Amino acid sequence: MSSQKYAIGLDFGTESGRAVLVDVADGREVATAIHAYGDGVIDEVLPGTDVGLPHDFALQNPADYIEVLRVTIPAVLSKAGVDAQDVIGLGTDFTACTMLPVDGEGTPLCQRPEWRDNPYAWVKIWKHHAAQPEANRLNEIAEERGEGWLQRYGGKISSEWMFPKIWETLNKAPDVYAAADRYLEAADWIVLQMTGQERRNSCTAGYKAIWHKRDGYPDDEFFAALDPRLRDVVDAKLSRQIYPLGQRADGLTPAMADLTGLRTGTAVSIGNVDAHVSVPAAAVVEPGRMVIIMGTSNCHMVLGTEEHLVPGMCGVVEDGIIPGFFGYEAGQSCVGDHFAWFVKNCAPAAYQEEAEARGIDLHQLLEEKAALQVPGEHGLLALDWWNGNRSVLVDVDLTGMLLGATLSTRAEDMYRALIEATAYGTRTIIDTFEENGVAVNEIVACGGLPERNKLLMQIYADVTGREIRVSASQQTPALGSAMFGAVAAGRAAGGYDTIFEAVPHMARLKDEVYRPIAEHRAVYDQIYAEYVRLHDYFGRGENDVMKRLKTLKARVQGPVGAPE
Amino acid sequence: MSSQKYAIGLDFGTESGRAVLVDVADGREVATAIHAYGDGVIDEVLPGTDVGLPHDFALQNPADYIEVLRVTIPAVLSKAGVDAQDVIGLGTDFTACTMLPVDGEGTPLCQRPEWRDNPYAWVKIWKHHAAQPEANRLNEIAEERGEGWLQRYGGKISSEWMFPKIWETLNKAPDVYAAADRYLEAADWIVLQMTGQERRNSCTAGYKAIWHKRDGYPDDEFFAALDPRLRDVVDAKLSRQIYPLGQRADGLTPAMADLTGLRTGTAVSIGNVDAHVSVPAAAVVEPGRMVIIMGTSNCHMVLGTEEHLVPGMCGVVEDGIIPGFFGYEAGQSCVGDHFAWFVKNCAPAAYQEEAEARGIDLHQLLEEKAALQVPGEHGLLALDWWNGNRSVLVDVDLTGMLLGATLSTRAEDMYRALIEATAYGTRTIIDTFEENGVAVNEIVACGGLPERNKLLMQIYADVTGREIRVSASQQTPALGSAMFGAVAAGRAAGGYDTIFEAVPHMARLKDEVYRPIAEHRAVYDQIYAEYVRLHDYFGRGENDVMKRLKTLKARVQGPVGAPE
């Protein structure tokens, strides 16, 4: 047994799961293995059946999660040449709210023959959107009743979250609801499988299931107002026992040790969520530093020492990100997706040819051309609402706008305007936090975009007026999970007693810093003022043209849309 | 000498001139010849010199106009096998305001060796934009003085028109101004060359030189307020003798007969303007039917029996289009240009490939895809201001806007939204006319677009709620000029005594009619209401964000624009 100790972080994503073996002493990522889910995202036909799925369904097969353990853990051990004895802990993170019904043994209902053909017995993943009617009704009733907790979630519970998804099953498949001994987040189910213990984590409970450390869940009267059959949903199908992040769930069971090649009793941490677990991996365990995960969408997280109700955010949860702090979350629903949309739908053929000739991709070419400009030079202004607005307007029916176009406007001008629009969106979130008592002094970025687009990073610094640093890891969720694994093991086993101890050793930022450039900032301040005015004009009810056009669009796609 | 009689229409455009030989009996276009100007549009260096031109200059060489006569008239005679004896009349039309200084003999100053090197001695064509400072100052002074005529021109005199261009020369080259015996529209200069007679036409005088049939020009005090040296500009450099359209200027001179192969004394009509002369060629000689020339931009013309001051139009001129009527003109500065911009800057590579594979152009492909939709289906709304707004806002500093975009928005959606935006712009013009007492019951379209884009025509019918017919001729200006040539000849010579007599014989519309479809109209009425609201919000001062962004753009392109 060597003196070097390792932890494994397991990151369960939408299409695949990955294991990263990390050196506990310095956070070095020694080996990585990825396994794509055999059944992927199930949105057409249930595997092994001919049961077709309704529109808006997005399911997964929980057997795929176990397969990730079976394949990736031995793979990283073998790649790294590390002895299982030197792996002191395991941490996991999941997409959320990704939830499933289980029987009394913790077996997913979909794995029991009598329920296999029922879609509602499978895992509903985060982007399963069929519970929108239930979410709408839940929000109406909560508002009518003046439920105070609604404000912790920006005034709206998403159809992606736990209770709309449970209620949907009750409405559509009451037999499944009845047969379910419990509903679990997949984040907690995988921990149950690994340790035999049900240890519901405070992150998903708080952000996705309306749980509050002091006030608990909404009261039974509220659930009864939704549906009398839901009155006891918390006690009958969930649990009031919630565990804060950073704790040890238990040790690995013998069966799991067999499956993975690790030793029985290896420490396993409480489950976590991919975005939130990235915060300590980005070296943030204190208030004032916002972590932004930048990818197809942006997720913003910041810590506070007090609970503030910040309008339009995704949630505030005590112990929701780092134990002992209030974790605030906000989001932009369309960031990398904007640029991907633009490149696919708007980049002219001449640019495609130029990019091909130079052996670069269209994003690089557009970034390069856009970087030749100074702020304000293209004369454009966009509202970044191609996929609605998550924070601070919380309105999926808003749509994108571009203004200032002339006959001289070029593709790189529009591309840059879209980048800037997402930066203005982030600034709106930061300003709203600060106006409501949550400080944001500095930004740490992680995710795919910061690596790929330096222009974007500089624009974010210039627009927000904040210095931006970038996580050194490109797999921050898995690194964060490994850090929590080391904490679950504890100092006595060669790990750390708290996440605060782990961070200085295991989390690193790159040396480069994006600093606001004063002249750019001055120009962007002017344009941002215009953005805010249009944001409020179109987003806060002064002119609801976007919604009216959407309603009209839905209407004409009906009977009028038939061939004439 | 056969009994068949012919007239020739000569259309002087921006890059070339054309002659069309037309059968007087039935308007059949028997032969066409085109001659590109040798010096084209002169915007870099004066021909035969090394004199560079300032930005915004656009000049022509008047010798090129004579060359058009010399080349194209014999060509059509020869192509058609027609005897010059059977050509009874000639009519001409020109771009406007396209103007030049001449000496006492009518010789352009630029043709005199002592002025050859001076840009101000050459023809300034319509799109010469260097007189903007003079136009701005003229408008300010006219407004301060409360000049009533300003309202006839939508409240603004364009830098493209006669007096700003004259004043520019006085400011920049006072010696040229002093040496000029007269300033002439090229439309009148070509008639002077052909007949030896100065016959200033009521169309250019009215639309471009602030002349009014009853009130004449602005008074000398106004011109003195611009510059004391301009006090006598009308009497010294122009003329108060203006001739209505439809008259005979005189007969062809012997020298011109030699040059062209026509007979001496062939009737020549008063000069005209390309847009306005198209109206009778589109069979319109009465109120209530709007002619729209659709090309890179739209020009709207309609007749009235009374003079109304319609806000935001390009002008109202008695005898300005058809003698005996008030001719109203409006315009949209960017129509075909929108679609050309879009295809060049926004059509994705995949579409380019598809179009190439199918052997069609991108416009056809986009039209075809866009035509599969019903109104309202794409959910988009655009303001058609990529090149400012000519009518009814008269504001070059407005810019384009697109709203309603989502991640599902495709190129054909945006393409269709741009077509619709120009249709909404036309409806705004029509509504403004009708609200101010000028009826528009029906539309006749001519120009390049109606031929090429049937979807566009149907959208215009649906949006405006008017039936649209299309001129049978694809060269309506030349046909209109030939019609006025036949009128100059008169009935005794085998022509017609009035343009009203000529129209039923010589002008034809196609059989096809674009009729508003009731369900489309209902949807477009809703979207148009949204258009009007945004049009007024961004265009009438409620939110001047477009202008502020333009100002900022101009500022940052200065010192801040330098490499960092």
Side-chain angles (χ1 to χ4, degrees), chain B residues 134-165:
Chain B
E134 283 80 7
N136 294 345
R137 192 76 193 107
L138 184 152
N139 285 315
E140 276 169 32
I141 293 172
E143 241 177 75
E144 280 164 25
R145 295 173 50 92
E147 298 286 351
W149 45 260
L150 201 55
Q151 294 319 309
R152 292 205 309 272
Y153 301 99
K156 222 169 256 179
I157 300 303
S158 163
S159 71
E160 294 183 356
W161 296 356
M162 182 63 88
F163 289 112
K165 278 174 168 158

Side-chain angles (χ1 to χ4, degrees), chain A residues 341 346-348 374 376-377 386 399-402 404-407 409 520 526 530 533 537 542 548 553 555 564, chain B residues 341 346-348 377 386 399-402 404-407 409 520 526 530 533 537 542 548 553 555 560 564:
Chain A
W341 170 83
C346 307
V374 292
E377 187 176 329
W386 264 244
T399 54
M401 191 217 64
L402 178 78
T406 72
L407 294 174
T409 299
H520 292 185
Q526 282 185 59
E530 305 291 353
R533 187 161 168 193
Y537 178 74
E542 204 178 336
R548 289 190 295 269
K553 175 177 176 169
R555 184 163 64 72
E564 292 164 277
Chain B
W341 170 84
C346 306
E377 186 175 330
W386 264 244
T399 55
M401 193 218 61
L402 179 78
T406 72
L407 293 175
T409 299
H520 293 185
Q526 282 185 58
E530 305 291 353
R533 187 160 167 195
Y537 177 74
E542 204 179 335
R548 288 190 296 269
K553 176 177 176 168
R555 185 162 64 73
V560 186
E564 291 165 274

Side-chain angles (χ1 to χ4, degrees), chain A residues 57 101-102 109 114-115 118-121 124 134 164-183 227-230 232-233 236-237:
Chain A
F57 263 56
V102 298
L109 289 193
E114 66 270 35
W115 296 113
N118 193 315
Y120 297 92
K124 293 184 190 171
E134 284 80 8
K165 278 174 169 158
I166 292 179
W167 193 9
E168 180 207 358
T169 297
L170 176 62
N171 283 334
K172 299 291 175 53
D175 47 349
V176 172
Y177 181 81
D181 185 68
R182 280 162 293 170
Y183 273 96
D227 188 312
R229 296 170 294 172
L230 283 177
D232 66 346
V233 62
K237 306 290 181 185

Side-chain angles (χ1 to χ4, degrees), chain B residues 326-391:
Chain B
F326 290 89
Y328 293 87
E329 183 190 345
Q332 289 175 273
S333 36
C334 181
V335 181
D337 274 353
H338 262 295
F339 319 138
W341 170 84
F342 185 84
V343 160
K344 181 179 168 208
N345 292 285
C346 306
Y351 284 53
Q352 175 85 40
E353 283 160 27
E354 184 178 346
E356 276 169 17
R358 295 179 48 199
I360 58 178
D361 75 16
L362 266 167
H363 287 283
Q364 286 173 284
L365 182 74
L366 286 165
E367 182 198 347
E368 192 181 297
K369 288 178 186 287
L372 300 175
Q373 303 179 18
V374 293
E377 186 175 330
H378 54 52
L380 301 172
L381 176 57
L383 291 174
D384 52 320
W385 300 344
W386 264 244
N387 195 18
N389 176 294
R390 191 171 295 162
S391 302

Side-chain angles (χ1 to χ4, degrees), chain B residues 224-299:
Chain B
L226 300 186
D227 188 313
R229 296 171 294 173
L230 283 177
R231 174 182 291 276
D232 66 346
V233 62
V234 172
D235 293 309
K237 306 290 182 184
L238 301 169
S239 163
R240 298 189 190 272
Q241 182 74 39
I242 305 297
Y243 295 81
L245 302 176
Q247 286 201 1
R248 178 173 184 272
D250 205 342
L252 208 60
T253 62
M256 274 290 156
D258 274 358
L259 184 84
T260 60
L262 294 174
R263 77 192 149 71
T264 300
T266 305
V268 176
S269 72
I270 297 293
N272 212 326
V273 173
D274 46 10
H276 305 75
V277 79
S278 296
V279 173
V284 171
V285 280
E286 75 278 27
R289 297 171 70 212
M290 172 178 271
V291 173
I292 312 184
I293 302 176
M294 297 179 165
T296 55
S297 58
N298 272 358
C299 180

